[in-house]
Each structure stands twice: as C-alpha cells, then as structure tokens.
Amino acid sequence: MPKAKSHPDQFGFRFEAPRMSDKPAALAGLESQIASAVGTILNSITEPREVTAAKMSVLLADQVSRQMLDAYASPAREGHKVPMSRFLALVAVTKRHDVLDILMREIGAAVLVDEEIQTARIGQLQLTIDEANRELKRLKASAPLIRGGNHA
C-alpha cells in the first residue's frame, strides 16, 4: 500500500516540545510581533477586511471595524495594541492557527487544532516505543541466560 501524501495545508509537525528562552528580555518586542502577525493574517485573506471585521464582531458580540484591524496591524501605532480576545477571534475567523503557533512558541507552547492532537499522540507513542526498543536492545546485550529447565 503506498504511503499517503500529506495534505497541502498541513504544516510540518515535529514532536519536540518548544522551549521558552530564560534569557532577560526574552519576550521584548512581543507587541511588535503580534502586530506583525495581525498584518500577516490580514494580508493573507482574500475577503474584504470589512467582512473579517464583521465576522469577528459576531463572534465577540462586540464591534470590530476595518479601521481597528488596520491599526492593530501597524507596529507604529502603539496606542492600538491588540486585545487577546480580538487576536484570537481574528485567528478563529481566518483559520490562521499557524500564525498563532509561531507566537505561542515564543512562550514555550504550541498550537494543535482539531484532530491534530492525534498526530501529536502518534509522536508521543513513537517516542515511547523507540525508548522501549533501546532498553530492550541494551538488556538483550547484557542479560544473563536463565537457568536451564533441568531440575534434577
């Protein structure tokens, strides 16, 4: 049976836990990165920003305008920091979880969406199997034979 090809929208997944840097100022500039992430998302969508803002408004039960989205995307407009609820709503309506994942890795976390948790579980199980196989190999190389079956 031929190996199934990955879906073109699936980004590569490695089962390696992200680590947050413990260096001073590790999160300095995060506001700018968030604004850049908003810009990346907005530049990737094909629908008018007014439509995206309307979808966010419905999801949040709060008014979001195109002008707000434009302001959130500008790192120069420090007075227009993106509230987390609005950033998450933008991710949700555009389905750009990949952009959220990049930001989450800055704090030592990762984003899995829907059934991707199964892929992560496969990775976890594979690591467990590999570890068990290494232990089995070590034991086979050094374990003594058990006394024979002759009990006279």
Side-chain angles (χ1 to χ4, degrees):
M1 176 180 231
K3 184 176 177 181
K5 293 183 180 180
S6 63
H7 189 278
D9 292 336
Q10 180 178 358
F11 54 92
F13 182 79
R14 297 177 322 235
F15 195 76
E16 296 169 12
R19 304 233 186 271
M20 180 177 166
S21 171
D22 59 357
K23 295 178 183 172
L27 296 178
L30 191 56
E31 293 293 342
S32 177
Q33 290 177 342
I34 293 169
S36 177
V38 170
T40 297
I41 292 171
L42 293 176
N43 288 331
S44 73
I45 59 176
T46 57
E47 67 186 9
R49 290 184 183 181
E50 291 83 1
V51 173
T52 301
K55 288 179 181 178
M56 290 172 62
S57 296
V58 169
L59 192 59
L60 293 166
D62 191 17
Q63 185 60 40
V64 179
S65 69
R66 177 203 169 112
Q67 291 77 15
M68 288 177 182
L69 293 179
D70 291 342
Y72 295 152
S74 173
R77 296 179 75 176
E78 290 186 19
H80 288 85
K81 293 180 181 179
V82 185
M84 188 62 139
S85 59
R86 292 189 179 197
F87 181 72
L88 293 176
L90 177 63
V91 169
V93 301
T94 60
K95 301 194 182 331
R96 289 301 310 266
H97 301 96
D98 58 318
V99 176
L100 175 60
D101 184 62
I102 292 167
L103 290 173
M104 294 304 292
R105 288 178 182 275
E106 292 290 322
I107 62 165
V111 174
L112 296 175
V113 181
D114 298 325
E115 300 302 316
E116 290 174 353
I117 193 74
Q118 293 174 351
T119 305
R121 181 67 176 138
I122 290 169
Q124 183 183 34
L125 289 171
Q126 189 62 58
L127 287 175
T128 302
I129 290 167
D130 292 347
E131 185 177 310
N133 283 332
R134 282 191 297 275
E135 181 180 359
L136 182 61
K137 185 176 180 181
R138 277 194 313 272
L139 288 172
K140 281 182 175 181
S142 64
L145 291 175
I146 298 177
R147 290 177 305 286
N150 298 339
H151 301 295

